[in-house]
Amino acid sequence: MNEEEAPRVHSFPPLVDEQSRILILGSMPGVASLEAHEYYGNPRNYMWRLLYSLLADGVPDERYEDRLAFALRHGIAMWDVFASCVRKGSLDSDIRDAVPNDIPGLLRRYPNIRVVACNGGKSHGELVKQFGDTPELAVRTVIRLPSSSPVPTRNFRGLDDRLAAWRQQLGPFLQTDMLPIR
């Protein structure tokens, strides 16, 4: 499939509620996630194992609906920086003709979100490029986390090194005084 034949893909609606305190912002769901209609639906992706390791016993619930409820129960929202893009495959480097989601609008609607945690460099770079000068981001903490993708990088080979980085960078914001009481 050449670039002209690559499909336009669309992100999911945000997973968020009034108790959300941390927005984990990806770039665009990969092929496996789009096919499963699930955030981080590729079983090789580390996202759910990272969250459950940070907040529970490390073993994600089997049912997707239970994983979503777990995230919300812990004040975690999820969305993607792009509403749609043209992309063949799942690599961020293949994203073309991207249309951003209305991140500032979401943050206005959910003012309890205090932290925007970008899942990887593409998410962080595009967030800053598109919305870095908005007041909605200026009043929040924005952090760049290593991608939860299973693709090894020079600095992050697998789950354990990603978990250590997530624990160091995101851990302070997961303290019980930051989380909603349910």
Side-chain angles (χ1 to χ4, degrees):
M1 173 184 302
N2 63 37
E3 191 169 311
E4 291 80 39
E5 296 171 350
R8 175 159 290 277
V9 293
H10 300 270
S11 67
F12 305 127
L15 171 70
V16 64
D17 67 16
E18 299 297 330
Q19 305 304 312
S20 297
R21 299 289 186 271
I22 298 169
L23 171 62
I24 295 179
L25 192 62
S27 54
M28 173 62 67
V31 171
S33 296
L34 291 168
E35 288 174 353
H37 303 286
E38 295 181 357
Y39 273 107
Y40 304 99
N42 182 338
R44 293 182 53 232
N45 191 288
Y46 297 127
M47 174 58 72
W48 294 111
R49 286 176 279 175
L50 288 165
L51 286 181
Y52 277 76
S53 293
L54 291 168
L55 297 164
D57 63 4
V59 180
D61 288 304
E62 195 168 313
R63 289 179 358 107
Y64 177 64
E65 294 76 16
D66 294 336
R67 292 190 303 257
L68 296 179
F70 175 86
L72 289 174
R73 189 169 57 252
H74 287 90
I76 306 289
M78 293 181 179
W79 208 18
D80 293 294
V81 72
F82 297 126
S84 70
C85 68
V86 173
R87 182 184 64 195
K88 61 179 180 178
S90 298
L91 296 176
D92 282 351
S93 59
D94 289 335
I95 291 174
R96 305 284 181 261
D97 192 24
V99 176
N101 270 316
D102 182 11
I103 308 298
L106 181 85
L107 296 174
R108 281 191 303 274
R109 284 190 302 277
Y110 296 95
N112 289 330
I113 295 173
R114 299 185 214 171
V115 176
V116 178
C118 297
N119 183 9
K122 183 73 166 186
S123 171
H124 182 263
E126 288 298 323
L127 177 70
V128 171
K129 177 182 169 185
Q130 299 289 334
F131 306 113
D133 60 352
T134 64
E136 293 82 4
L137 278 184
V139 299
R140 290 172 171 86
T141 300
V142 176
I143 57 177
R144 177 184 170 181
L145 297 167
S147 174
S148 64
S149 167
V151 176
T153 67
R154 183 183 47 193
N155 296 324
F156 300 99
R157 307 304 295 167
L159 174 62
D160 291 339
D161 48 1
R162 283 175 173 85
L163 178 58
W166 278 54
R167 184 170 281 126
Q168 179 183 16
Q169 294 176 266
L170 190 59
F173 303 106
L174 296 173
Q175 297 171 3
T176 55
D177 63 339
M178 286 261 329
L179 296 176
I181 298 172
R182 292 195 181 201

